[in-house]
């Protein structure tokens, strides 16, 4: 399964990059395949529990320093599919190249 999520600290001002970095650090240290872009961090794992544990810990890292946290989450739950984080993008790129 792939989960794309965004953690936003609230009540800390406009510059939230260091708080977001705390969340991304948790994701990267998890060892799960992941990718971060300007809006979301995506992670891929074998189970709901495995992926959601990382999301929960990423939110907790931001909660430690922010009075309020917003979480946006989107999940692609497809048992038996692996390397979707890469293969989904490759499929789109292949169609663009045609």
């Amino acid at each position: 399964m792939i989960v794309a999520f965004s953690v936003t600290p609230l009540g800390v001002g406009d510059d939230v990059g260091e708080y977001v970095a705390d969340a991304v650090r948790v994701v990267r240290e998890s060892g799960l395949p992941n990718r971060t872009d300007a809006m979301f961090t995506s992670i891929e794992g074998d189970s709901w529990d495995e992926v959601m544990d990382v999301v929960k810990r990423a939110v907790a890292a931001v909660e430690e320093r922010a009075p309020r946290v917003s979480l946006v989450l989107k999940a692609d739950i497809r048992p038996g599919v692996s390397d979707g984080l890469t293969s989904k993008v490759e499929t789109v790129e292949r169609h663009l190249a045609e």
Side-chain angles (χ1 to χ4, degrees), residues 53-66:
D53 175 64
V54 176
V55 173
K56 183 177 180 181
R57 289 187 291 117
V59 170
V62 177
E63 270 182 314
E64 288 179 11
R65 300 194 309 138

Side-chain angles (χ1 to χ4, degrees), residues 14-62:
D14 291 336
D15 187 10
V16 298
E18 70 180 85
Y19 300 89
V20 172
D22 290 341
V24 173
R25 189 172 294 110
V26 169
V27 172
R28 291 186 178 173
E29 290 174 355
S30 76
L32 294 178
N34 65 83
R35 186 171 293 144
T36 299
D37 61 36
M39 298 291 294
F40 286 92
T41 294
S42 298
I43 56 176
E44 184 171 11
D46 293 329
S47 71
W48 182 255
D49 290 338
E50 178 182 43
V51 173
M52 289 308 292
D53 175 64
V54 176
V55 173
K56 183 177 180 181
R57 289 187 291 117
V59 170
V62 177

